[in-house]
Amino acid sequence: QVQLVETGGGLVQPGGSLRLSCVASGVSFTIPIMGWYRQAPGKQRELVATITSGGTTRYGETVEGRFTSSRDNRDNSIILEMNSLKPEDTAVYFCNARRVMTPTFNFWGQGTQVTVSS
């Protein structure tokens, strides 16, 4: 019922920038926590950024200072602005929506591929 769709992935050169978008549908309330996670082949999924409905933002240490995330509570959308991209940023980026007080409310998008290569 709840669906999240990520867009904006693609191929970019090292040092370049990319913008990812995600919008949730099928929910009638403001999602408490939305965020981005990424997973590279053979590696564990890791935090990129999360934002609460109140605007509190947390970044993974590997992207701190390079990535910026923002959200719009009106339509449960979230943006990830990626700058100074490195080859190690190459991964599938997933959008996440969850509500801590309701553990069953935890949804993921299909993912969008980001490849950083020269």
Side-chain angles (χ1 to χ4, degrees), residues 12-88:
V12 63
Q13 294 184 346
S17 300
L18 207 61
R19 181 177 184 268
L20 305 182
S21 299
C22 171
V23 61
S25 62
V27 58
S28 60
F29 56 88
T30 299
I31 298 171
I33 304 175
M34 296 190 71
W36 295 94
Y37 294 79
R38 68 186 184 186
Q39 187 167 21
K43 296 184 178 180
Q44 190 175 10
R45 183 183 63 188
E46 67 174 346
L47 166 71
V48 176
T50 61
I51 311 177
T52 70
S53 59
T56 300
T57 307
R58 178 186 179 187
Y59 295 97
E61 64 178 13
T62 58
V63 307
E64 183 78 53
R66 297 188 297 120
F67 293 7
T68 302
S69 188
S70 60
R71 64 179 288 176
D72 188 343
N73 292 341
R74 296 172 297 180
D75 60 359
N76 285 316
S77 64
I78 184 169
I79 301 296
L80 182 66
E81 298 278 1
M82 302 182 291
N83 302 301
S84 301
L85 284 162
K86 307 174 181 179
E88 50 263 43

Side-chain angles (χ1 to χ4, degrees), residues 2 29-33 96-107:
V2 179
F29 56 88
T30 299
I31 298 171
I33 304 175
N96 174 250
R98 65 181 183 272
R99 183 169 62 191
V100 175
M101 294 297 100
T102 307
T104 55
F105 191 95
N106 191 345
F107 301 95

